[in-house]
Amino acid sequence: MAMKHRAGATLALLMTTALLVAGCNGSDSEAPAENELYKNPVTLTWWHNASQDGPGKTYWEKVAKDFSALHPTVTVQIEAIETNQLQRTRLPAALLSSDPPDIFQAWGGGEMREQVEADYLKDLTDQVKDEVANIGSATEIWQVNGKQYGLPYRMGIEGIWYNKDMFAKAGITAPPTTFDELNQAVTKLKAINVIPIALGAGDKWPAAHWWYNFALRACSVDTLKKASVDLVFDDPCFVKAGQDLKTFIGTNPFQPNFIATPGQNDPTSANGLVANGKAAMELMGDWNRGTLETVAEDPEALTKFLGWFPVPAIAGSAGDPKAALGGGDGFACAKNAPAECVEFLKYIVSPEVQKGFAGTGTGLPVAKGAEAGVADPALKSILEATSGATYVQLWLDTAFGSTVGNAMNDAVIAIFAGNGTPEKVVEAMKAAAKK
Amino acid sequence: MTSTNPTLSPAGGASVPPAGPPATRRPSSRAAETRRKWYEIIGLTTPAVAVYVMFVLVPMGFAVYYSLFRWRGVGPPTEFVGFNNYILAFQDPIFLDALRNNAIIVFGSLLLQGPIALAVALLLNRRFRGRTVFRLLVFVPYVLAEVTVGIMWKLILTGGGTIDVLLRQIGLGSLVQAWLADLDIVIWTLLVVLTWKYVGFAIILLLAGLSNVPPELTEAAAIDGASWWQTQRHVTLPLLGPTIRIWMFLSMIGSLQVFDVIWVTSVPAVRSLGASATMATYMVDNGFFARLWGYGNAVAVILFVISFIAALLFQRFLLRRDIAGAVTGRRN
């Protein structure tokens, strides 16, 4: 046994050394001069998460083909991978090896900070100044210590998707703007025998997002910003979020058995309940338009009854009522990717390509000049709300990094399951920050 | 065969040994033979041993090494924390839940599958019309892929699924439960699914064991006037002992490491609350989803050590007679 351990440790050390060497190699390589671009044939490997057949996947294929047509020396090789697999297993393993994909899905926030600290990503600051200016404050999520390491192609805030027909039938005249009004709406919807709010707690994050929103209302923007960087959660507002959530769950706004309900992509999911007229509301991000459509029996009816409003405010709380929770998807280039990678990234976020992306209805574009591509009225109202938001807080699990994020989500779920407490959420977050 | 054919080897041994004095040839030939034997052993086993070392022993070494670090899987592991990950695991109530669930599955599988498999195997061992069809049917669940079984049962057990509809139709609507979401019920639901999936394997093993029971013995028992039940009780069952013990061993190790069916069937939220977690699902949830790679490796090592100890104990006390010499190298 002792022999085996020593051999394993030696091998592990060897591998570690190899990794360190590999990591150091690229650190002094500068971006080549402009005139060297497109001289030699290169293949860019591109990992994105539009893995389900649909307009999103088809559009990225077209983008890759168009780019190759413009620059014949560049071949783009796409691998479409389901989000969780991509983000949790494939990408970390690939980045750890010496052969990562050139351009890949990047969420920004805590995860990206870790990747930058490990020296995996290309610093794009000098090359993407124009793009950053055109996209605006959304790019901050893909910055670490003031440097740009990725660019978003999709960004939007979260809100409540609702069924206009049901609201009318229940006698709700205007979308709720405060939680008191939301509670009244819930009561009215119960009276007409529909599920007031669909919740996919089975997948954890859709339920955790309710806690995030209560935290956003209870905590000041400064507290949240500081918590994201220092991972310190001493402010009592984090406990207050759990208390508000508990009170809200106490009003029974969700469908029965929500702890087993999946979030999306399934007719029995929370999305399915909304898309097929069984539930009146759902808290979800801007991508929901596309996912609702994939589970709707009658997509035309869906388009007619679907509406959207921002998460209501809570009277007398420290949080900014105009702040919103949101996030986006972006791409980053691997440290040693060819210079063409950055050009391709710039192409993806250019207004024309973004306009086409908006047309797919799978998410909101970020580039100015692409707004015209947004056709759906619900998506249009998100676009307005996003530009009207005073502050967009990135999803807390992404902002705090996977370790704290996972522990936080699990502890929030325990509140939903009836065996957690607001204090335990904060304890779990603090413990995870040390793990 | 050749020795019986006089035209092919006419003069017995005359054609076999080449010329030369036997006294000097023999020792060198024996040495050559020994050498050749070792060449053969080395030549034939090296590829297998190399693959085993590369893909089993080396990763095991890595797992032990990584488990001593606080490591998020980003960059090389640098923060050595000793056995802290192991301590953290045993302090986490969810991991203790996972251990408890593994114990439930180990003993539940043995207690449920054993009697069912024995009864079915004894029945299917009798001659009757359509026996082959029944044997095939019994084995189908075992042949199906774990993921397929998981998804199928998820659809059956989900709220408003087949089971609920059936229960309501036969007037037992009051029995309808949140089979996969009720924190107290889910592990028992999963135990039923696992039993359904793996009982066919036990049955096939036992049927193979039964085919080794010499018919003379059962005939002799019949002549002595033993009933069918008496024959099974006193002749067949004792002879099935080795088969039953081997099945128990395989079932136990499989139950400790169970992953796929649980992962697919159970709800992520319920799993993370500990109600349906096993050591293997806990490892993946923490290693990949919480990005605690060092910690995940520690859990993997714990799972390995527990399985290893269980296997050793089982061999020492129950399998001893059956595999004497085959594994341990000792005879008694």
Side-chain angles (χ1 to χ4, degrees):
Chain A
M1 280 303 260
M3 263 294 279
K4 202 168 71 192
H5 283 194
R6 216 172 303 141
T10 315
L11 269 162
L13 274 173
L14 279 174
M15 193 174 136
T16 312
T17 321
L19 282 169
L20 281 170
V21 173
C24 295
N25 269 347
S27 57
D28 53 355
S29 70
E30 285 295 313
E34 277 292 310
N35 54 14
E36 269 187 41
L37 273 174
Y38 308 123
K39 274 216 168 141
N40 301 314
V42 291
T43 302
L44 294 176
T45 42
W46 183 19
W47 288 9
H48 64 65
N49 72 347
S51 59
Q52 293 220 328
D53 284 326
K57 193 177 178 182
T58 319
Y59 186 66
W60 286 145
E61 278 159 16
K62 178 181 156 6
V63 169
K65 220 181 271 168
D66 290 353
F67 189 73
S68 290
L70 284 172
H71 307 284
T73 54
V74 182
T75 319
V76 181
Q77 219 170 54
I78 297 180
E79 202 168 332
I81 306 164
E82 187 272 328
T83 308
N84 268 322
Q85 253 190 51
L86 174 66
Q87 225 71 31
R88 303 294 181 216
T89 54
R90 296 282 309 271
L91 203 54
L95 286 171
L96 203 54
S97 79
S98 54
D99 188 27
D102 295 309
I103 174 168
F104 50 85
Q105 197 87 15
W107 275 348
E111 218 153 276
M112 179 169 249
R113 200 173 306 124
E114 288 176 353
Q115 290 171 349
V116 169
E117 278 162 16
D119 201 23
Y120 288 158
L121 306 183
K122 213 189 246 312
D123 178 359
L124 316 170
T125 317
D126 297 333
Q127 289 150 280
V128 297
K129 281 193 173 126
D130 294 346
E131 284 72 18
V132 168
N134 188 42
I135 294 168
S137 64
T139 55
E140 282 172 30
I141 292 172
W142 285 264
Q143 284 171 7
V144 178
N145 302 329
K147 286 183 174 169
Q148 199 73 39
Y149 290 93
L151 289 176
Y153 64 86
R154 183 196 76 69
M155 182 87 190
I157 62 168
E158 184 167 60
I160 294 178
W161 298 78
Y162 74 108
N163 185 318
K164 289 186 219 161
D165 296 350
M166 281 183 189
F167 267 44
K169 209 175 152 202
I172 306 161
T173 44
T177 55
T178 66
F179 259 86
D180 290 336
E181 287 174 27
L182 182 67
N183 289 339
Q184 286 161 18
V186 165
T187 313
K188 285 180 185 166
L189 287 161
K190 278 184 189 164
I192 62 160
N193 257 332
V194 295
I195 299 162
I197 304 175
L199 175 66
D203 284 330
K204 303 196 271 191
W205 60 265
H209 277 206
W210 279 101
W211 187 89
Y212 301 173
N213 276 291
F214 284 113
L216 185 74
R217 295 287 175 250
C219 300
S220 70
V221 169
D222 284 345
T223 307
L224 289 172
K225 274 186 178 165
K226 205 168 150 339
S228 302
V229 177
D230 303 336
L231 299 184
V232 170
F233 311 104
D234 290 327
D235 198 294
C237 68
F238 290 108
V239 177
K240 169 89 166 38
Q243 288 162 346
D244 289 347
L245 173 65
K246 243 185 135 175
T247 313
F248 183 60
I249 297 171
T251 65
N252 290 320
F254 307 117
Q255 81 276 14
N257 204 12
F258 54 76
I259 208 83
T261 309
Q264 42 194 21
N265 299 340
D266 176 335
T268 68
S269 67
N271 267 165
L273 293 175
V274 175
N276 298 315
K278 296 196 174 85
M281 292 183 263
E282 186 188 17
L283 173 72
M284 201 51 73
D286 61 307
W287 65 82
N288 210 33
R289 182 70 187 84
T291 43
L292 282 171
E293 207 169 309
T294 56
V295 290
E297 280 158 16
D298 184 357
E300 264 178 54
L302 177 76
T303 309
K304 275 184 203 140
F305 71 62
L306 199 62
W308 185 93
F309 62 88
V311 177
I314 298 178
S317 57
D320 181 347
K322 277 269 181 185
L325 203 69
D329 285 313
F331 292 116
C333 284
K335 177 96 191 166
N336 294 323
E340 283 84 351
C341 179
V342 186
E343 299 304 311
F344 184 48
L345 180 56
K346 284 154 88 172
Y347 177 71
I348 291 175
V349 299
S350 65
E352 318 87 80
V353 176
Q354 279 269 290
K355 200 170 159 186
F357 171 72
T360 65
T362 55
L364 286 175
V366 289
K368 286 184 193 78
E371 294 89 347
V374 181
D376 185 78
L379 284 173
K380 268 187 184 158
S381 49
I382 302 181
L383 199 62
E384 276 164 35
T386 308
S387 46
T390 48
Y391 172 66
V392 176
Q393 168 62 46
L394 177 64
W395 316 119
L396 296 185
D397 53 353
T398 315
F400 298 160
S402 320
T403 306
V404 172
N406 206 61
M408 171 176 67
N409 288 0
D410 283 356
V412 171
I413 282 297
I415 296 187
F416 277 92
N419 56 6
T421 65
E423 291 78 16
K424 273 190 191 162
V425 176
V426 180
E427 281 165 29
M429 290 161 73
K430 285 179 180 169
K434 287 188 207 127
K435 263 190 184 172
Chain B
M1 286 299 276
T2 48
S3 61
T4 60
N5 190 336
T7 55
L8 280 178
S9 58
S15 66
V16 178
T24 54
R25 182 181 57 89
R26 267 213 156 163
S28 76
S29 147
R30 192 181 287 161
E33 230 165 71
T34 316
R35 215 179 309 136
R36 199 176 58 232
K37 192 178 88 189
W38 277 106
Y39 284 150
E40 273 170 15
I41 290 176
I42 293 169
L44 290 174
T45 55
T46 303
V49 169
V51 167
Y52 183 76
V53 169
M54 275 277 290
F55 293 103
V56 178
L57 294 186
V58 170
M60 269 163 62
F62 274 127
V64 173
Y65 172 75
Y66 290 148
S67 74
L68 305 175
F69 287 85
R70 181 174 181 266
W71 183 38
R72 301 281 175 82
V74 183
T78 46
E79 206 179 328
F80 186 81
V81 292
F83 289 102
N84 195 39
N85 285 328
Y86 294 86
I87 297 166
L88 283 176
F90 283 103
Q91 283 172 346
D92 184 354
I94 307 295
F95 179 68
L96 300 179
D97 283 342
L99 274 177
R100 183 207 57 199
N101 291 337
N102 270 117
I104 290 177
I105 293 169
V106 167
F107 291 106
S109 297
L110 292 177
L111 294 176
L112 280 175
Q113 290 177 31
I116 295 174
L118 203 55
V120 175
L122 287 177
L123 283 175
L124 286 183
N125 201 37
R126 307 175 91 179
R127 294 189 183 286
F128 61 89
R129 201 176 259 278
R131 189 171 72 154
T132 323
V133 177
F134 276 103
R135 282 188 174 198
L136 270 177
L137 283 179
V138 155
F139 203 50
V140 165
Y142 184 68
V143 177
L144 287 177
E146 265 86 355
V147 175
T148 315
V149 168
I151 292 174
M152 188 185 93
W153 277 96
K154 193 170 183 164
L155 292 175
I156 291 174
L157 292 164
T158 200
T162 322
I163 275 280
D164 293 359
V165 172
L166 264 178
L167 282 174
R168 287 206 179 91
Q169 276 179 352
I170 57 172
L172 292 173
S174 58
L175 287 182
V176 168
Q177 304 285 341
W179 304 105
L180 293 173
D182 189 311
L183 303 186
D184 299 323
I185 290 177
V186 61
I187 187 68
W188 304 105
T189 309
L190 290 172
L191 186 60
V192 171
V193 175
L194 289 170
T195 304
W196 181 88
K197 170 84 174 85
Y198 292 109
V199 77
F201 176 65
I203 292 170
I204 287 292
L205 269 186
L206 290 177
L207 279 172
L210 283 171
S211 69
N212 280 334
V213 174
E216 299 84 33
L217 289 183
T218 47
E219 274 160 28
I223 291 167
D224 285 345
S227 67
W228 180 80
W229 173 244
Q230 281 172 326
T231 315
Q232 306 305 327
R233 172 72 188 78
H234 295 288
V235 178
T236 318
L237 270 186
L239 287 169
L240 266 185
T243 315
I244 293 175
R245 286 191 288 272
I246 282 286
W247 164 73
M248 285 172 74
F249 180 74
L250 295 174
S251 169
M252 180 186 73
I253 298 299
S255 299
L256 282 173
Q257 306 187 338
V258 62
F259 174 77
D260 338 37
V261 175
I262 308 271
W263 185 263
V264 176
T265 314
S266 72
V267 181
V270 174
R271 204 169 58 222
S272 69
L273 290 167
S276 62
T278 65
M279 280 188 282
T281 66
Y282 180 85
M283 175 181 80
V284 173
D285 268 325
N286 281 278
F288 287 123
F289 287 82
R291 288 265 300 273
L292 295 165
W293 285 31
Y295 184 71
N297 272 308
V299 175
V301 172
I302 295 172
L303 172 56
F304 170 76
V305 169
I306 290 177
S307 304
F308 194 66
I309 291 174
L312 277 184
L313 287 178
F314 198 90
Q315 270 192 12
R316 186 85 186 78
F317 293 108
L318 281 167
L319 277 182
R320 213 160 151 194
R321 275 179 300 164
D322 306 328
I323 54 167
V327 177
T328 55
R330 273 184 298 145
R331 287 169 193 279
N332 47 331

